[in-house]
Amino acid sequence: MPLSRSLSMTSLTGVLPAWEEDELPVEDLLLFEVSWEVTNKVGGIYTVIQTKAKITVDEWGDNYYMMGPYFEHNFKTQVESCEPPNPAIRKAMDALIHNGCQVHFGRWLIEGSPYVILFDIGSAAWNLDRWKGDLWDTCNIGLPYHDREANDSLILGSLIAWFFKELTDHLGDKPNVVSHFHEWQAGPGLILSRSRKIPMATVFTTHATLLGRYLCAGNTDFYNNLDKFNIDKEAGERQIYHRYCLERAAVHCAHVFTTVSQITAVEANHMLHRKPDVVTPNGLNVKKFSAMHEFQNLHSTNKSQIQEFIRGHFYGHLDFNLDKTLIFFIAGRYEFSNKGADIFLESLSRLNYLLRVHRNDVTVVVFFIMPAKTNNFNVESLKGQAVRKQLWDTAHAVKEKFGRKLYDALLKGQIPDLNNILDRDDFTIMKRAIYATQRHSLPPVTTHNMLDDSTDPILSNIRRVGLFNSRNDRVKVVFHPEFLSSTSPLLPMDYEDFVRGCNLGVFPSYYEPWGYTPGECTVMGIPSVTTNLSGFGCFMEEHVSDPAAYGIYIVDRRFRSAEESCNQLTQFMFSFCQQSRRQRIIQRNRTERLSDLLDWRYLGRFYIHARHLALSRAFPDKFKMDPMAPLKTEGFRYPRPYSVPPSPSASIHSTPHHSDVEDEDEPYDEDEEAERDRMNIKSPFVLNAVPEGKKQQPGESRN
């Protein structure tokens, strides 16, 4: 059966075009997706498999199953137990259960409600030594007894391989099985399945190489030395050699090897010594609003809530105009260098200097949302919110009294004497409220008491660059070392609402195989800064002719020095501060329109292509694909927005100006521009091609 298809997309009208050829006969196939993070949130892979579930269920129906480890709490809170619809799966589960290994089945209560098969690792732990011996006999990989995660991965993998053996024995030749494994923790299952010659097609996806993450965390000049690392030596020195061997073995055992981005494909080619067959970018479930202004209204509503926090946090020093204040943020795991917090802080220091030199009234409040070790909220932060609330209550009480007297006077047909409408007690209350806002210290740069205050990287660098929230600073810093929650007494907002209320997300990551944070900003219509070392940044460079015009600012951290990258980031933020309020609204409209690019309805096709390829390699007699055809996954490229002039100087002022000033000279019609973006699509391109005019660098590969 021929499987080669065009993955081109010709419009963004909300309905994606159909495939050029018939779909795979999914009724004659079973698809299994294996990950340590099925119903078990650990990192970003959880988001990938959770958000992708709906489009996969829509395609495969009851022939799609997820597999992972069983954790009692997760199962009770996220899974509805039920019986397998396929009798062969029931028989395979019973074979394991009758041998003392517990297997659980149900529907995962997420969008799409996919079936899940969860294996109880604890119930099978008594087999660990025997399975370690099997792994050694199979591929000469030994696991140390003290590495709990690697040992648990082996138990899970052995159970999965056992399950697949029982399943395929019961199924016979039909239906065929496709198994997709994510990350090295799922690797043992793939290795053992292939070594036992279980008849199924296999796909392995690495979302980030093990060694790459370790090397980048050590401040290594990683991307410029990819071809110079002694891989075995580096893995051994970090005591992860056995994990690296599992990852590399899984990569080479799979029929099809994929990565989540082009930059990770280059990395994997050197770290794991196999060129990825397909790049499978990560997507999101995009929920479009029926009217364009709805997400703008959400931005305004949530920004007001953030401004309330700012009023309390900076009480006594609130000498800046909140209507002319921009809110920037960075969020994610606390990896100071990998996430780019180092150059972000340095750039903020330079931005502060530029804003002060130009003597403008634009103020930037920057939030760092990165979880760190704390023992509680600090008293000063809580006091600030209490003072704000007390002031609000006082103002509300005086307003009520004023309103009542005004109402009574008007009912009598009189114009009240404004000098007598408030008595001495009212003025006393207001004066006491004003005195309560006096502060003899600077607003704190962190909202919590840090356990490692003196050595914390963010606080240490704040001290180095001198961003202490003083009155003459135009850049104010708030470090919130805890994930956001709507139940917080300090900043009661969920992460999604917080993002919607910000003006710019800044994620200048050095190591980011994909990067969900700027993607989430994009689908919410919030401009963001990313880099050409993140998968998201590379993806946008290839799909969008002028990313900055659509609110995606891409810092070059690959081909520039750290100093040059820092200056570029500073310029991006300074240029953003120069925009008028109207320009920011227009840019948010453009940013939100890019959300179609990140929808799983489009990006799911890359996974479909990988499964097709795996089937053609595992079962060449049944599924045909031209082996000589280049492995291309084609898409489209957004044109430059119609209303953007050729030169940025035509639409951006030379110095910052009042954000409420309207620039009526810029031609703009939202509906007209959106239609042009949908219709004026450039010719399809190859996802992994080197951009025209740029030479292929050492370590780059055309996958």
Side-chain angles (χ1 to χ4, degrees):
M1 173 179 179
L3 295 178
S4 57
R5 299 168 185 249
S6 167
L7 298 186
S8 62
M9 182 175 177
T10 56
S11 67
L12 287 178
T13 57
V15 179
L16 301 179
W19 294 102
E20 293 180 359
E21 299 180 15
D22 295 334
E23 296 287 351
L24 275 176
V26 294
E27 65 277 2
D28 296 330
L29 295 168
L30 292 178
L31 173 62
F32 294 87
E33 198 149 6
V34 183
S35 171
W36 187 261
E37 299 196 35
V38 171
T39 74
N40 176 41
K41 186 170 185 177
V42 178
I45 301 174
Y46 178 90
T47 305
V48 176
I49 59 178
Q50 181 198 37
T51 56
K52 186 168 61 67
K54 185 180 187 306
I55 61 134
T56 313
V57 170
D58 289 345
E59 181 190 1
W60 290 79
D62 287 349
N63 289 354
Y64 173 57
Y65 303 86
M66 292 185 177
M67 307 172 79
Y70 168 82
F71 295 98
E72 184 178 11
H73 174 72
N74 294 342
F75 188 83
K76 288 182 176 179
T77 56
Q78 300 182 47
V79 180
E80 178 187 15
S81 183
C82 63
E83 279 296 310
N86 192 313
I89 290 179
R90 177 76 266 174
K91 291 176 182 176
M93 289 174 55
D94 289 341
L96 273 67
I97 293 171
H98 293 157
N99 282 278
C101 303
Q102 295 302 309
V103 186
H104 302 265
F105 189 92
R107 281 193 180 274
W108 190 4
L109 300 179
I110 58 174
E111 197 170 5
S113 301
Y115 289 121
V116 291
I117 305 170
L118 304 176
F119 299 87
D120 190 336
I121 292 172
S123 69
W126 55 277
N127 292 293
L128 178 60
D129 289 338
R130 177 166 62 87
W131 287 339
K132 278 187 177 183
D134 291 343
L135 183 67
W136 177 260
D137 293 338
T138 299
C139 51
N140 290 346
I141 298 176
L143 303 183
Y145 72 92
H146 57 77
D147 189 342
R148 172 75 179 271
E149 190 174 4
N151 289 330
D152 285 350
S153 298
L154 176 59
I155 296 172
L156 176 64
S158 300
L159 289 169
I160 287 172
W162 186 359
F163 173 86
F164 280 137
K165 180 70 170 73
E166 297 288 343
L167 178 65
T168 53
D169 286 348
H170 285 109
L171 291 175
D173 294 334
K174 194 175 182 181
N176 293 123
V177 175
V178 186
S179 300
H180 192 144
F181 297 81
H182 292 268
E183 279 299 283
W184 72 271
Q185 292 99 327
L190 193 157
I191 297 166
L192 294 170
S193 296
R194 292 284 280 149
S195 66
R196 294 168 187 173
K197 294 182 171 52
I198 297 174
M200 65 182 186
T202 57
V203 182
F204 182 79
T205 297
T206 180
H207 296 255
T209 68
L210 263 173
L211 192 54
R213 191 177 292 280
Y214 273 85
L215 287 169
C216 287
N219 293 324
T220 306
D221 186 8
F222 182 64
Y223 292 99
N224 290 323
N225 294 284
L226 275 173
D227 55 347
K228 299 180 180 66
F229 289 116
N230 183 333
I231 306 299
D232 293 334
K233 176 176 176 291
E234 297 288 352
E237 287 178 349
R238 289 160 178 77
Q239 299 183 15
I240 58 167
Y241 186 69
H242 56 287
R243 295 187 180 192
Y244 165 72
C245 289
L246 287 175
E247 181 181 39
R248 183 168 167 181
V251 165
H252 286 269
C253 284
H255 290 106
V256 171
F257 170 45
T258 80
T259 62
V260 296
S261 64
Q262 181 60 33
I263 193 69
T264 312
V266 174
E267 172 190 342
N269 194 26
H270 287 84
M271 297 289 109
L272 302 172
H273 299 286
R274 180 177 176 182
K275 185 183 296 185
D277 300 295
V278 185
V279 172
T280 52
N282 293 335
L284 289 162
N285 286 330
V286 178
K287 294 179 173 62
K288 305 289 285 185
F289 292 105
S290 57
M292 178 63 71
H293 63 267
E294 288 185 47
F295 82 92
Q296 296 280 10
N297 291 343
L298 284 173
H299 167 74
S300 178
T301 301
N302 290 303
K303 185 176 182 179
S304 298
Q305 196 169 349
I306 298 174
Q307 287 174 335
E308 284 301 300
F309 168 83
I310 292 173
R311 287 187 175 98
H313 193 79
F314 291 94
Y315 83 92
H317 287 256
L318 202 64
D319 52 357
F320 51 92
N321 187 344
L322 281 176
D323 290 332
K324 299 170 185 175
T325 296
L326 301 178
I327 302 169
F328 295 179
F329 81 100
I330 183 174
R333 285 191 303 271
Y334 197 171
E335 297 176 5
F336 183 68
S337 298
N338 282 359
K339 297 297 182 184
D342 48 358
I343 76 161
F344 185 32
L345 276 166
E346 179 61 34
S347 298
L348 287 174
S349 174
R350 299 178 187 189
L351 176 65
N352 186 45
Y353 171 77
L354 289 174
L355 294 175
R356 290 169 62 180
V357 163
H358 285 86
R359 297 181 180 278
N360 65 85
D361 52 5
V362 174
T363 302
V364 177
V365 177
V366 184
F367 286 85
F368 288 75
I369 312 296
M370 291 180 160
K373 294 180 179 178
T374 66
N375 56 22
N376 214 328
F377 301 108
N378 63 42
V379 173
E380 194 65 22
S381 294
L382 291 171
K383 179 183 176 183
Q385 300 308 313
V387 168
R388 177 193 63 77
K389 188 176 185 306
Q390 181 186 20
L391 275 174
W392 171 258
D393 292 341
T394 300
H396 191 69
V398 172
K399 182 187 75 171
E400 286 290 316
K401 187 174 181 180
F402 181 95
R404 264 196 317 273
K405 289 185 177 180
L406 178 63
Y407 175 64
D408 290 340
L410 293 176
L411 281 176
K412 296 174 183 177
Q414 302 172 353
I415 298 296
D417 184 355
L418 297 181
N419 293 321
N420 298 326
I421 204 165
L422 295 178
D423 56 31
R424 183 184 297 273
D425 289 342
D426 296 324
F427 285 102
T428 301
I429 291 172
M430 288 189 287
K431 287 178 182 178
R432 286 178 59 184
I434 292 172
Y435 290 153
T437 64
Q438 292 181 352
R439 189 181 219 165
H440 302 294
S441 61
L442 295 175
V445 295
T446 180
T447 57
H448 291 59
N449 294 321
M450 304 291 292
L451 290 181
D452 301 316
D453 185 291
S454 60
T455 59
D456 181 81
I458 288 180
L459 294 182
S460 297
N461 277 270
I462 286 174
R463 297 183 188 107
R464 179 182 64 81
V465 300
L467 289 176
F468 296 123
N469 295 337
S470 61
R471 288 186 182 275
N472 58 352
D473 281 333
R474 297 274 52 84
V475 173
K476 316 285 186 181
V477 176
V478 179
F479 179 24
H480 189 281
E482 192 176 80
F483 283 132
L484 297 172
S485 170
S486 58
T487 59
S488 168
L490 201 62
L491 184 56
M493 299 183 75
D494 287 327
Y495 177 73
E496 180 179 338
D497 295 332
F498 175 81
V499 172
R500 286 192 184 278
C502 291
N503 295 104
L504 182 71
V506 186
F507 314 102
S509 305
Y510 184 76
Y511 187 79
E512 191 74 80
W514 176 249
Y516 260 121
T517 41
E520 289 165 339
C521 286
T522 301
V523 300
M524 296 181 206
I526 303 301
S528 62
V529 178
T530 183
T531 73
N532 60 351
L533 289 182
S534 75
F536 175 83
C538 294
F539 182 80
M540 283 300 174
E541 275 189 322
E542 292 166 345
H543 278 73
V544 183
S545 296
D546 186 5
Y550 286 94
I552 309 294
Y553 300 93
I554 301 175
V555 176
D556 186 352
R557 294 202 65 181
R558 186 171 187 188
F559 304 113
R560 295 192 183 193
S561 66
E563 175 70 16
E564 290 173 321
S565 299
C566 195
N567 286 334
Q568 187 183 20
L569 175 57
T570 304
Q571 190 56 48
F572 281 154
M573 294 190 293
F574 185 59
S575 298
F576 189 85
C577 293
Q578 292 172 300
Q579 293 181 354
S580 68
R581 179 174 177 271
R582 181 172 183 270
Q583 287 172 322
R584 292 198 302 272
I585 291 173
I586 291 171
Q587 190 178 58
R588 282 198 295 274
N589 285 339
R590 292 176 184 152
T591 303
E592 196 270 344
R593 211 157 51 242
L594 290 182
S595 60
D596 282 326
L597 277 175
L598 303 174
D599 197 328
W600 274 122
R601 292 177 303 152
Y602 170 53
L603 296 182
R605 300 181 171 195
F606 295 82
Y607 277 84
I608 294 171
H609 184 63
R611 294 177 205 130
H612 291 182
L613 185 58
L615 282 166
S616 70
R617 292 178 177 177
F619 307 106
D621 295 336
K622 293 184 179 181
F623 305 96
K624 304 293 184 183
M625 179 175 279
D626 183 2
M628 301 304 294
L631 295 174
K632 295 181 179 179
T633 308
E634 296 180 339
F636 63 92
R637 216 171 145 81
Y638 259 96
R640 183 184 183 87
Y642 171 66
S643 62
V644 176
S647 169
S649 61
S651 62
I652 297 182
H653 299 263
S654 58
T655 57
H657 61 110
H658 294 179
S659 63
D660 56 351
V661 173
E662 298 282 342
D663 186 356
E664 298 295 346
D665 296 332
E666 183 180 353
Y668 181 74
D669 185 301
E670 170 60 29
D671 294 333
E672 180 184 349
E673 184 175 299
E675 186 60 28
R676 283 177 179 269
D677 279 350
R678 293 188 180 101
M679 302 304 297
N680 185 23
I681 301 300
K682 293 187 177 180
S683 59
F685 72 104
V686 181
L687 182 67
N688 48 15
V690 176
E692 185 178 351
K694 183 181 286 186
K695 294 182 179 179
Q696 188 165 344
Q697 300 296 317
E700 281 192 317
S701 61
R702 297 175 182 268
N703 298 323

